[in-house]
Amino acid sequence: MTDDLLTQRIFSMMAELSTVRAPDIRLEHRLREDLGLDSVCSMELLSMLAEEFELDVPMEEAAQVTTVAGTVAMAQRHLALKERAVS
Amino acid sequence: MKILFVYPRFSRHAEAHPELRAWVPLNEYLGSPSLGIAAMAAVTPDSFEIEFRDDRLSPADRPTDADIVAFSFFTPAASRALELAAYFRALGKQTIAGGIFPTMMPDVCEPHFDAVVVGEGEPVWAQVLSDLRSRALQRRYKAGQSQRLTDLPLPRVDLYLNKETGHFQPDDYPVQLSRGCPLTCQACVLPFSMTRSLRHFSIDHVVGQLEQLAKRGKRACLTEDTSWFPGENVKQLRLLFERIIARGAPATISYIGISMPMILASSTSMLELAKQAGVDMFYLVGGFDPVTRGAFTGKDPKSLARAHDAVKKSLDAGIEPYTSFLLGNDTDDEGTVDRMLEFAAASGITKAEFAIFTPYPGTPAWTRLEKEERIFDREWSHYNDANCVFEPRLMSADEVTRGYLRLWREFYAGKDFSTHDVAERTIQF
Ligand code: SF4
């Protein structure tokens, strides 16, 4: 999956949980302050990522992420780790 | 030496508002004490004799031959605990306080007890006992780090089971899968009392906890919603369900705690597995998460739709959502009660409980409301989800209390459980 596609997919997941629509979400947005996603939402988002991309992100790591960019970077990192483990 | 463990009594919903007994057609349920005393008794060496008194069953302020009296209590029981401590100190006993309230309010407890244990008790218990023997008790004990759960023996729930009497016959007892939570929901004390480090008991330990209850004909209630978190947590839960299914034993779990976001985030296969393992009921706790905080504001149709989806998903999996509604959040106004009732009727929820938002000491909500000078009642026995102890933002405290009573009354009006096979009961009524 390209980084662009991954980012778009994460935006739509966030839009499912937030009152902000996917086209209005920006990488620099803060999860809590700008998207209204509190820590429980982050867990839900993490579950969605885990389900869709079969990612195994430790929740302690996810709980530290505070921005959209951070979430995308976290997903990229773990996808890369997964690919490396498979190859 | 002998230790008397005391679980002080506290006032529950129907005790605070006896009219609830006439309105709610469910059996009032006196559940098990929390696991604190059972956990501490389990790490107490055999050289100590142990006695346990549940002050809810009969007043604990009776003479004792114990040398030490150790209390475990949360906020609703704090006033009574201080009263009991004074009684036992007057008898010349050494007193120790532990549990959620002493952890969050050690300065309030310190003048009333000989020692206060802050945080998890097991890491410091050996030191406390050794200091007791040498009569050199310190004023305060606090563990340097979180307890490793893999090192712990099974909790001594036999102490509770042996206290069962006519009106105290719980059909379930708590079982712990984990401790701690890395999140910080505004009204939850758990990350502060049990630390933000989420640790798991081994599956063997959890199965051991279930088995020791099953041997006595009891089921287990799993209250922590953290079990549903992604990653290691839900993996552990899945393993547990698989172990239960593989044993081919009948249902041993009475209910399991969850939130709406976690139902929505869980795969259908996970919910089906839970059902297969014998989970017939969720304790669906609301008011802490963004879905239930938004759903009843009248201004957040997306959260309302998601709340409906969560209940439907639970019902579709064959798991009854016993839903706990919380009234008094800053976004709740005079229309919230109607919106909650409409939602409950439309979503098909048949059993529910209602609680008043309570800023428990040590929670982010407590700190914020203290700063905003909105807490007007510091009588700890009123901190029991049945009294409004702070100034709500969009309603008066009286309106919140009246709304809470109306929720109980109107939700249960016309409901009849008498034809059900099993005696239906509340969870914490
Ligand atoms: S309510 Fe649940 S998720 Fe939130 S802090 Fe408490 S234990 Fe953690």
Side-chain angles (χ1 to χ4, degrees), chain B residues 64 192 348 354:
Chain B
T64 175
F192 309 98
F354 303 93

Side-chain angles (χ1 to χ4, degrees), chain A residues 18-79:
Chain A
S18 162
T19 46
V20 180
R21 293 174 328 119
D24 299 329
I25 295 179
R26 302 274 168 271
L27 279 170
E28 59 275 18
H29 276 157
R30 292 162 302 173
L31 299 178
R32 185 186 290 265
E33 295 83 352
D34 301 320
L35 302 186
L37 302 182
D38 74 357
S39 47
V40 177
C41 279
S42 313
M43 283 309 108
E44 202 181 339
L45 185 67
L46 189 60
S47 298
M48 289 166 141
L49 287 170
E51 184 87 345
E52 183 157 335
F53 302 113
E54 292 176 10
L55 290 185
D56 213 356
V57 182
M59 59 172 292
E60 284 76 6
E61 183 184 336
Q64 302 302 320
V65 175
T66 55
T67 60
V68 175
T71 310
V72 173
M74 179 182 75
Q76 282 168 336
R77 208 169 39 247
H78 282 274
L79 270 175

Side-chain angles (χ1 to χ4, degrees), chain A residues 39-40, chain B residues 180-185 188-191 225-226 229 288:
Chain A
S39 47
V40 177
Chain B
C181 177
L183 308 190
T184 49
C185 296
C188 180
V189 78
L190 193 126
D225 58 349
T226 44
F229 286 169
F288 290 63

Side-chain angles (χ1 to χ4, degrees), chain B residues 345-398:
Chain B
S347 59
I349 292 170
T350 53
K351 285 205 274 182
E353 69 178 26
F354 303 93
I356 294 176
F357 182 94
T358 304
Y360 287 101
T363 60
W366 164 268
T367 311
R368 179 173 56 83
L369 292 176
E370 272 274 82
K371 210 159 104 199
E372 295 171 2
E373 296 183 0
R374 289 166 62 194
I375 297 178
F376 61 79
D377 187 346
R378 280 159 212 278
E379 169 45 55
W380 305 120
S381 62
H382 294 166
Y383 285 62
N384 63 348
D385 295 351
N387 297 287
C388 193
V389 298
F390 73 106
E391 296 292 353
R393 192 178 291 286
L394 304 175
M395 302 166 84
S396 70
D398 275 353

Side-chain angles (χ1 to χ4, degrees), chain B residues 56-377:
Chain B
R56 301 170 310 157
L57 306 180
S58 59
D61 35 1
R62 289 172 276 129
T64 175
D65 59 353
D67 308 283
I68 309 136
V69 186
F71 298 84
S72 174
F73 55 99
F74 63 164
T75 305
S79 302
R80 174 65 178 160
L82 303 190
E83 215 176 276
L84 289 172
Y87 170 83
F88 286 111
R89 277 181 126 182
L91 295 183
K93 309 296 174 187
Q94 297 203 78
T95 54
I96 303 170
I100 294 176
F101 187 83
T103 294
M104 293 302 131
M105 303 295 264
D107 293 342
V108 171
C109 293
E110 215 169 84
H112 301 269
F113 297 87
D114 296 299
V116 177
V117 174
V118 175
E120 286 174 291
E122 293 97 338
V124 295
W125 195 232
Q127 184 65 50
V128 173
L129 296 180
S130 140
D131 291 350
L132 271 166
R133 278 193 195 281
S134 51
R135 297 199 76 79
L137 211 50
Q138 297 165 37
R139 299 294 292 146
R140 210 177 274 196
Y141 294 85
K142 186 175 189 311
Q145 57 194 43
S146 308
Q147 173 65 40
R148 269 166 53 112
L149 302 189
T150 42
D151 295 343
L152 291 179
L154 292 176
R156 290 272 320 270
V157 277
D158 55 296
L159 293 175
Y160 304 165
L161 286 155
N162 295 343
K163 287 284 166 191
E164 289 200 353
T165 60
H167 74 295
F168 176 65
Q169 301 261 352
D171 58 34
D172 61 2
Y173 281 78
V175 158
Q176 274 189 326
L177 263 75
S178 63
R179 285 189 192 169
C181 177
L183 308 190
T184 49
C185 296
Q186 58 153 348
C188 180
V189 78
L190 193 126
F192 309 98
S193 61
M194 285 287 180
T195 80
R196 293 186 68 183
S197 155
L198 178 54
R199 295 144 288 144
H200 298 94
F201 285 97
S202 71
I203 288 296
D204 284 341
H205 192 284
V206 177
V207 170
Q209 292 183 62
L210 291 169
E211 274 171 355
Q212 72 172 358
L213 292 177
K215 270 189 206 131
R216 302 281 295 256
K218 301 295 175 187
R219 296 194 296 167
C221 48
L222 280 57
T223 52
E224 303 110 359
D225 58 349
T226 44
S227 317
W228 298 90
F229 286 169
E232 209 37 51
N233 314 283
V234 81
K235 265 192 226 157
Q236 287 280 106
L237 192 59
R238 183 179 281 277
L239 267 178
L240 175 67
F241 291 154
E242 286 168 354
R243 279 279 288 272
I244 293 172
I245 294 165
R247 281 178 353 152
T252 50
I253 298 175
S254 59
Y255 67 81
I256 181 161
I258 197 165
S259 63
M260 289 199 185
M262 285 301 115
I263 292 185
L264 293 167
S266 297
S267 63
T268 308
S269 66
M270 185 63 189
L271 298 189
E272 284 166 1
L273 196 69
K275 174 72 186 171
Q276 226 185 315
V279 177
D280 295 326
M281 189 160 88
F282 279 145
Y283 186 25
L284 179 48
V285 178
F288 290 63
D289 64 89
V291 174
T292 46
R293 281 207 313 275
F296 314 118
T297 57
K299 299 184 186 92
D300 186 352
K302 193 179 223 172
S303 291
L304 180 61
R306 280 165 51 73
H308 276 289
D309 290 347
V311 171
K312 183 171 182 309
K313 196 167 171 185
S314 170
L315 290 170
D316 286 349
I319 302 177
E320 178 172 21
Y322 181 111
T323 309
S324 179
F325 290 86
L326 189 68
L327 184 66
N329 267 311
D330 274 359
T331 45
D332 291 345
D333 59 23
E334 74 280 359
T336 301
V337 169
D338 285 327
R339 290 189 286 268
M340 283 179 173
L341 288 166
E342 278 161 26
F343 168 77
S347 59
I349 292 170
T350 53
K351 285 205 274 182
E353 69 178 26
F354 303 93
I356 294 176
F357 182 94
T358 304
Y360 287 101
T363 60
W366 164 268
T367 311
R368 179 173 56 83
L369 292 176
E370 272 274 82
K371 210 159 104 199
E372 295 171 2
E373 296 183 0
R374 289 166 62 194
I375 297 178
F376 61 79
D377 187 346

